[in-house]
Amino acid sequence: MRDKLTISNGVEKIVSLSKRRGFIFPSSEIYGGFSSCYDFGPLGVEMKNNIKKAWWDEMTKKHDDVVGLDASILMSPEVWKASGHLTAGFADELVECRKCHKRFRLDEIVNPKSEIRNPKCPDCGGDLTKPKKFNLMMKTFVGPVEDEASLTYLRPETCQGIYTNFKNVMQTMRLKIPFGIAQIGKAFRNEINPKDFIYRTREFEQMEMQWFCEPKKVDKFFDFWLKQRLNWYYNLGLNKKNLRTYEVPKKELAHYAKRAIDIEYKFPFGWQEIEGIHNRGDWDLSNHSKHSGEDLKYDPSAGSGQEYFPHIIETSVGVDRSLFAFLCDAYQEVKGGRTKTTKSVKEIEVLLKLHKDLAPVKAAVLPLVKNKAEIVKKAKQVYKLLKSDFICQYDETGSIGRRYRRQDEIGTLFCITIDFDSLKKDDVTVRNRDTMKQKRIKINGLTSYINNAIM
Amino acid sequence: MRDKLTISNGVEKIVSLSKRRGFIFPSSEIYGGFSSCYDFGPLGVEMKNNIKKAWWDEMTKKHDDVVGLDASILMSPEVWKASGHLTAGFADELVECRKCHKRFRLDEIVNPKSEIRNPKCPDCGGDLTKPKKFNLMMKTFVGPVEDEASLTYLRPETCQGIYTNFKNVMQTMRLKIPFGIAQIGKAFRNEINPKDFIYRTREFEQMEMQWFCEPKKVDKFFDFWLKQRLNWYYNLGLNKKNLRTYEVPKKELAHYAKRAIDIEYKFPFGWQEIEGIHNRGDWDLSNHSKHSGEDLKYDPSAGSGQEYFPHIIETSVGVDRSLFAFLCDAYQEVKGGRTKTTKSVKEIEVLLKLHKDLAPVKAAVLPLVKNKAEIVKKAKQVYKLLKSDFICQYDETGSIGRRYRRQDEIGTLFCITIDFDSLKKDDVTVRNRDTMKQKRIKINGLTSYINNAIM
């Protein structure tokens, strides 16, 4: 019988655990942090790499005709003219205080139901300008002269690098429509109001797949990819109750989109998008064709006269957002002493029940006692044996119960204890995080035991 | 008996192969390219991921007490004050034309042996200013107001994110000196003169490990890590003759370095650094301590009064540079018809003899003929079987000899041919890229055959 589980309803516990156990730190923290940027600590980077690998394998290995790409963050500013990002489509409406020159999003300082027609600056009470569009792209200057000619932008989305390489990829890989291009990489948006920990940040990572297909097949593939993407989350253990789809109303669609369905996760702060499935029509290829002068039409067979711009289905995941969702979903507080050594049954134990593919640490090696040289020596041998195959931890500090709890808190799949019997029998106790069952395993079979369990 | 091999002595062949076969494309190529940035195509991204994985596994799995990190690209500008990057230490000397305002590196327009004392603008012949320092960091503005307060920089090196997280990582992972922090990520430098394909670019990727140790052990660890790093290249098949070390003379050392040894590769354009091993002393932690007010000293045992700033050994690899070196090293031109079907023995065949861990495509599946439905069907079954485990290609176009050559050119380890016998015996022919030997293998044993060969 399992203990009663309760799901935390606040995000503070996730933030605290992330910091305390080396998942996520505020960037430049010794300088007071910086602008909603975050750093992934030793456990965070392993978990993030696991998510990226799971997505990459799903896309490029499981699916036919999806190939990878890694385009640069800096691109020609012409790309952003063609894509529509330099025009009004990619901007927030801001008002500026005439006195202190701070800027605010209009919808944040005006309550839609309020009857106040002339809002004042929330900081200094000054008068505000009329709303103006503020572009979300971050500027930089490339080359030795800082002028208009050298101005460009940090990409606000990774997909444009896929569109500009569409023809290169298709030709060099000898692909035929339909096919997809998958990419993982950083993007930057000068969000006015970054918030909710790693949910909305100015620097973030995307995993995007662009599927190029015949115009008439676009609805079929939209449904196909939506289903595929939902299954990906289910297969990685996300609770179905915490995942839903949201069809974006026509009038709220982005400038490039013909249809959009968000995959939303139920965060402690509400339902929020973690992935978008978009029908982008021929917006991207036709605009890049027009602006660049390069013919990006597809010809199903040479000289057929049936050339067309492939239509695009996009699946776009926020890496940080999905990691955040996986963390929230895995976080459990167990009342009543999951580990025997918890003194009071009222004490709360934290369990991070991450999917085996995502857990950053696969195994922890724990000598039963640390004052017995042979046991410590054997434990270190076991650690050496395992760590070349799996990310492992070695821990000899504190009672065995306390050490189990430390590992439960970071979602370690197996706790391996070396005790007095181990010296005689050359075996160890393996404790399974989820079943809590303990099993004696011979040391020379340990690697394959864990391998089988996590395959 | 192997054919005579010749190594190409020009870089053009690598550039051409990279473009033609989907390794590396110029960024924003349909817009005429952009500023020495490059995109990694389907084969390039797989090869790059293989290099990164090989390094990450080496660092975090093979070595004790090296943990990972993934810090953000955008950091507090305070970091760059403390690190010395905002001062003269990280700048090129430039002259500006008073007429056309273009800038040039002084050493590029003045021949050191020339006696001309007043050089003119190479573009318009105008007078030049005196040399001024030009900082190599790329600016950006974060937040809604574009002013001094929101100015920061794209990181010019990844290691500063490690130093600012030194204490967070040590505490949350309960580490003791010595230990290391490994990180892979993008960095940006506004190079005046980017050149040599992907060798010197403005956007690039680094793999850096920072090793924190006692001051008195710093020389021992310098030697240790240098040896480790050299072996990494040797183990990945780099020709020893093409690798050398270069001790940077004292007067040429960077502002932070007490000692530096470059690992250099013999590119077609000469010996060039692909990795640096640096003794950074206590420059980083003591400066960040001073500027941030955070005590970054290490206390070997609480209250011992023996606190010290750990000294740092850095191993810093350019991902793009090392990929370039691996490509050059693997590139061979084979005269005399490696594959039977080459018509003339004088025809040159290209072979990319990449190490098995680095080769982007592990296997290619080739139906002997494409006009026999059962053979094509079986070949597609084999392709489906393999592609969930390995990056594979399916190719049915052209003669079998031509298809072998296509695969040799991208370094594919195994070519798997499905022929008439395969229909009866459920087996295939597996051709080994390096030995050229062909072997019949049962289809149900194919995955494990390849797995064993590439493990």
Side-chain angles (χ1 to χ4, degrees):
Chain A
M1 198 189 77
R2 295 301 297 267
D3 304 305
K4 191 178 159 218
L5 304 177
T6 55
I7 306 291
S8 163
N9 58 3
V11 83
E12 327 75 49
K13 288 175 180 177
I14 304 292
V15 176
S16 162
L17 176 74
S18 295
K19 170 78 198 291
R20 191 170 74 244
R21 299 308 308 275
F23 283 88
I24 300 160
F25 309 127
S27 167
S28 313
E29 195 184 18
I30 60 174
Y31 292 100
F34 182 65
S35 202
S36 98
C37 289
Y38 290 91
D39 296 343
F40 289 83
L43 300 193
V45 65
E46 294 296 341
M47 185 176 164
K48 188 149 76 117
N49 287 347
N50 290 343
I51 291 173
K52 291 197 272 185
K53 183 177 186 310
W55 185 86
W56 191 259
D57 284 354
E58 167 89 5
M59 287 297 169
T60 66
K61 288 184 177 167
K62 183 181 151 194
H63 289 293
D64 278 353
D65 300 326
V66 177
V67 297
L69 185 79
D70 183 14
S72 60
I73 290 170
L74 301 175
M75 301 179 77
S76 165
E78 297 300 318
V79 172
W80 310 113
K81 284 184 198 163
S83 70
H85 284 84
L86 272 176
T87 56
F90 196 67
D92 272 351
E93 287 229 310
L94 293 192
V95 292
E96 186 173 318
C97 172
R98 291 184 195 280
K99 204 167 144 199
C100 75
H101 298 289
K102 282 205 180 135
R103 295 181 196 178
F104 306 91
R105 259 167 64 174
L106 191 61
D107 58 351
E108 285 181 334
I109 55 170
V110 181
N111 182 335
K113 290 173 188 163
S114 136
E115 291 182 17
I116 297 169
R117 306 247 176 267
N118 288 306
K120 301 284 183 183
C121 171
D123 268 30
C124 78
D127 287 333
L128 298 174
T129 61
K130 286 193 177 164
K132 276 184 242 170
K133 292 284 185 181
F134 172 75
N135 199 287
L136 292 176
M137 288 198 291
M138 287 194 202
K139 287 180 189 177
T140 193
F141 301 93
V142 172
V145 186
E146 193 172 296
D147 61 9
E148 280 296 315
S150 68
L151 169 69
T152 195
Y153 304 90
L154 308 188
R155 63 180 176 193
E157 58 183 29
T158 56
C159 56
Q160 296 299 329
I162 295 182
Y163 307 141
T164 56
N165 280 299
F166 161 72
K167 205 167 172 180
N168 268 338
V169 170
M170 184 171 66
Q171 287 177 346
T172 60
M173 302 304 283
R174 306 158 78 237
L175 296 168
K176 288 195 169 69
I177 295 288
F179 69 88
I181 303 177
Q183 180 173 235
I184 301 175
K186 287 276 176 94
F188 300 81
R189 292 184 191 179
N190 209 351
E191 297 283 356
I192 304 307
N193 184 22
K195 63 178 174 180
D196 294 324
F197 192 37
I198 58 169
Y199 183 78
R200 188 182 306 279
T201 54
R202 292 189 174 125
E203 174 176 341
F204 55 99
E205 199 159 8
Q206 295 186 306
M207 306 191 286
E208 297 195 319
M209 193 281 301
Q210 310 292 321
W211 182 255
F212 301 88
C213 65
E214 277 185 76
K216 67 181 179 195
K217 292 193 177 156
V218 80
D219 292 328
K220 187 190 88 174
F221 282 124
F222 190 102
D223 296 342
F224 172 81
W225 282 109
L226 174 60
K227 200 174 159 192
Q228 291 291 319
R229 294 305 306 144
L230 283 168
N231 282 335
W232 186 76
Y233 292 103
Y234 299 153
N235 291 339
L236 288 172
L238 222 61
N239 192 330
K240 285 197 179 189
K241 281 191 309 189
N242 293 334
L243 215 56
R244 73 175 187 192
T245 57
Y246 170 74
E247 172 106 35
V248 179
K250 277 263 181 292
K251 61 181 180 185
E252 289 171 26
L253 289 173
H255 62 280
Y256 54 77
K258 290 188 155 185
R259 188 185 175 197
I261 286 188
D262 292 345
I263 297 178
E264 294 187 337
Y265 180 76
K266 194 181 180 181
F267 284 99
F269 45 90
W271 289 99
Q272 294 288 346
E273 177 193 357
I274 55 174
E275 172 160 1
I277 315 295
H278 307 132
N279 173 357
R280 302 180 66 120
D282 66 357
W283 167 269
D284 304 288
L285 293 184
S286 67
N287 274 299
H288 281 302
S289 221
K290 197 166 71 189
H291 280 76
S292 71
E294 185 85 26
D295 181 6
L296 301 178
K297 284 204 209 72
Y298 176 76
D299 190 352
S301 58
S304 68
Q306 299 180 321
E307 298 88 349
Y308 60 87
F309 286 115
H311 281 219
I312 292 173
I313 301 299
E314 166 182 73
T315 71
S316 173
V317 190
V319 178
D320 317 84
R321 290 175 178 192
S322 71
L323 183 142
F324 193 9
F326 284 118
L327 273 183
C328 290
D329 216 60
Y331 185 87
Q332 299 183 350
E333 292 184 345
V334 185
K335 272 186 200 156
R338 205 174 111 86
T339 53
K340 285 180 207 158
T341 46
T342 304
K343 278 174 189 151
S344 157
V345 287
K346 284 182 191 156
E347 221 171 294
I348 285 174
E349 296 179 17
V350 172
L351 173 64
L352 199 63
K353 214 176 166 182
L354 290 168
H355 186 274
K356 63 185 173 54
D357 291 355
L358 303 187
V361 179
K362 305 302 182 196
V365 177
L366 319 169
L368 186 68
V369 292
K370 70 167 176 179
N371 56 6
K372 185 85 182 171
E374 293 138 287
I375 286 186
V376 168
K377 190 181 160 198
K378 183 133 233 143
K380 287 191 171 164
Q381 282 167 1
V382 171
Y383 175 62
K384 278 255 179 201
L385 171 77
L386 297 181
K387 81 180 290 289
S388 58
D389 285 316
F390 319 103
I391 297 290
C392 290
Q393 288 196 347
Y394 175 87
D395 187 4
E396 58 176 34
T397 312
S399 71
I400 197 77
R402 177 180 285 273
R403 284 181 274 163
Y404 280 160
R405 290 180 63 179
R406 255 183 225 138
Q407 297 300 329
D408 283 349
E409 199 176 47
I410 60 172
T412 305
L413 300 172
F414 299 101
C415 282
I416 294 158
T417 308
I418 287 80
D419 56 20
F420 290 92
D421 274 0
S422 305
L423 301 178
K424 287 176 254 166
K425 299 181 188 163
D426 226 36
D427 62 3
V428 295
T429 300
V430 180
R431 169 188 181 266
N432 181 307
R433 179 195 71 188
D434 299 333
T435 65
M436 297 279 285
K437 284 193 180 138
Q438 305 203 354
K439 203 168 172 177
R440 293 299 286 194
I441 304 283
K442 290 282 176 199
I443 289 172
N444 64 15
L446 195 54
T447 301
S448 64
Y449 176 80
I450 297 176
N451 250 329
N452 287 338
I454 67 177
M455 281 264 278
Chain B
M1 200 188 78
R2 294 301 298 266
D3 303 304
K4 191 180 161 217
L5 305 177
T6 55
I7 305 291
S8 165
N9 58 4
V11 84
E12 328 76 49
K13 288 175 179 177
I14 304 292
V15 175
S16 163
L17 177 73
S18 296
K19 171 76 197 293
R20 191 170 75 245
R21 300 307 309 274
F23 283 89
I24 301 161
F25 309 127
S27 168
S28 313
E29 196 185 17
I30 60 173
Y31 292 100
F34 183 65
S35 202
S36 99
C37 289
Y38 290 90
D39 297 344
F40 289 84
L43 299 192
V45 65
E46 294 297 341
M47 184 176 165
K48 189 150 75 118
N49 286 347
N50 290 343
I51 290 173
K52 291 197 272 186
K53 183 177 187 307
W55 185 87
W56 190 260
D57 284 355
E58 166 90 7
M59 286 298 168
T60 66
K61 288 184 177 169
K62 184 181 150 192
H63 289 292
D64 278 353
D65 300 327
V66 177
V67 297
L69 185 78
D70 183 14
S72 60
I73 290 170
L74 299 175
M75 302 180 75
S76 165
E78 297 300 318
V79 171
W80 309 112
K81 284 184 198 162
S83 70
H85 283 83
L86 272 175
T87 55
F90 195 67
D92 271 350
E93 288 229 309
L94 294 192
V95 291
E96 186 173 320
C97 172
R98 291 187 195 280
K99 204 167 145 198
C100 75
H101 298 288
K102 284 205 178 132
R103 295 181 196 176
F104 306 91
R105 257 169 65 177
L106 192 61
D107 57 353
E108 284 180 333
I109 56 170
V110 181
N111 182 333
K113 289 172 189 164
S114 135
E115 290 184 16
I116 297 170
R117 303 251 175 265
N118 287 307
K120 301 286 182 182
C121 171
D123 268 29
C124 76
D127 287 333
L128 298 173
T129 62
K130 284 191 180 168
K132 276 184 242 170
K133 292 283 186 182
F134 172 76
N135 199 288
L136 291 176
M137 288 199 292
M138 287 196 204
K139 286 181 188 177
T140 195
F141 302 93
V142 173
V145 185
E146 194 172 297
D147 61 8
E148 278 298 315
S150 67
L151 170 69
T152 193
Y153 304 90
L154 307 189
R155 64 181 176 192
E157 57 183 30
T158 57
C159 56
Q160 297 298 329
I162 293 182
Y163 307 140
T164 56
N165 279 300
F166 161 73
K167 205 168 172 179
N168 267 339
V169 170
M170 183 171 67
Q171 286 177 346
T172 60
M173 302 303 286
R174 305 159 76 238
L175 295 167
K176 289 195 167 71
I177 296 288
F179 70 88
I181 303 178
Q183 181 173 236
I184 301 175
K186 287 276 177 96
F188 300 81
R189 291 183 191 180
N190 208 353
E191 297 283 356
I192 304 307
N193 185 22
K195 63 179 176 180
D196 295 325
F197 192 37
I198 59 169
Y199 183 79
R200 189 182 307 279
T201 54
R202 292 190 174 124
E203 173 176 341
F204 55 98
E205 199 158 9
Q206 294 186 308
M207 306 191 285
E208 297 196 319
M209 194 280 301
Q210 310 293 322
W211 182 255
F212 301 90
C213 65
E214 276 185 79
K216 67 181 178 196
K217 292 191 178 159
V218 81
D219 293 327
K220 186 190 87 174
F221 282 123
F222 190 102
D223 296 341
F224 172 80
W225 283 109
L226 174 61
K227 201 173 159 194
Q228 290 290 318
R229 295 304 307 143
L230 282 169
N231 282 333
W232 186 76
Y233 293 102
Y234 298 153
N235 292 337
L236 288 172
L238 222 61
N239 192 330
K240 286 198 179 188
K241 282 192 308 188
N242 293 334
L243 217 55
R244 73 175 188 193
T245 57
Y246 170 75
E247 172 105 36
V248 179
K250 276 264 183 290
K251 60 181 180 185
E252 288 170 26
L253 289 173
H255 62 279
Y256 55 76
K258 291 188 155 183
R259 188 186 174 198
I261 287 188
D262 292 345
I263 298 179
E264 294 186 336
Y265 180 76
K266 193 180 181 183
F267 285 99
F269 46 90
W271 288 99
Q272 295 288 346
E273 178 192 357
I274 55 174
E275 172 160 0
I277 314 295
H278 307 131
N279 171 357
R280 302 180 66 120
D282 67 358
W283 167 269
D284 304 289
L285 293 184
S286 66
N287 274 299
H288 281 303
S289 220
K290 197 166 69 189
H291 280 77
S292 71
E294 185 84 27
D295 182 5
L296 300 178
K297 283 204 209 74
Y298 176 77
D299 190 352
S301 57
S304 68
Q306 298 180 322
E307 299 90 348
Y308 60 88
F309 285 115
H311 281 220
I312 292 173
I313 301 299
E314 165 182 71
T315 71
S316 174
V317 190
V319 178
D320 317 84
R321 290 176 178 192
S322 70
L323 183 141
F324 193 9
F326 284 118
L327 273 183
C328 290
D329 216 60
Y331 185 87
Q332 299 183 351
E333 293 183 345
V334 184
K335 273 186 201 157
R338 206 174 111 86
T339 53
K340 286 179 205 158
T341 49
T342 304
K343 279 173 188 149
S344 159
V345 289
K346 284 181 188 157
E347 224 173 290
I348 285 173
E349 296 179 16
V350 171
L351 171 65
L352 200 63
K353 213 175 167 181
L354 290 167
H355 187 273
K356 63 183 173 59
D357 292 354
L358 303 187
V361 179
K362 305 303 182 195
V365 178
L366 319 170
L368 186 67
V369 292
K370 72 169 172 177
N371 56 6
K372 184 87 182 171
E374 293 139 284
I375 286 186
V376 169
K377 190 181 160 198
K378 183 134 232 144
K380 287 190 172 164
Q381 283 168 1
V382 171
Y383 176 61
K384 278 253 178 202
L385 171 77
L386 297 180
K387 82 182 290 288
S388 58
D389 285 316
F390 318 103
I391 298 289
C392 290
Q393 288 196 348
Y394 175 86
D395 186 5
E396 58 177 34
T397 311
S399 72
I400 197 77
R402 178 181 286 271
R403 283 181 274 163
Y404 280 160
R405 291 179 64 179
R406 256 184 224 135
Q407 296 301 329
D408 283 349
E409 199 177 47
I410 61 172
T412 305
L413 300 172
F414 299 102
C415 283
I416 295 157
T417 308
I418 288 79
D419 56 19
F420 291 91
D421 274 0
S422 304
L423 301 178
K424 289 176 253 167
K425 298 183 188 161
D426 227 37
D427 63 2
V428 295
T429 300
V430 180
R431 170 187 180 266
N432 182 307
R433 180 196 70 187
D434 298 332
T435 65
M436 298 277 285
K437 284 192 181 140
Q438 306 202 354
K439 203 168 174 178
R440 293 299 288 193
I441 304 283
K442 290 281 175 200
I443 290 173
N444 65 14
L446 195 53
T447 301
S448 65
Y449 176 81
I450 297 176
N451 251 330
N452 287 339
I454 67 178
M455 282 261 283

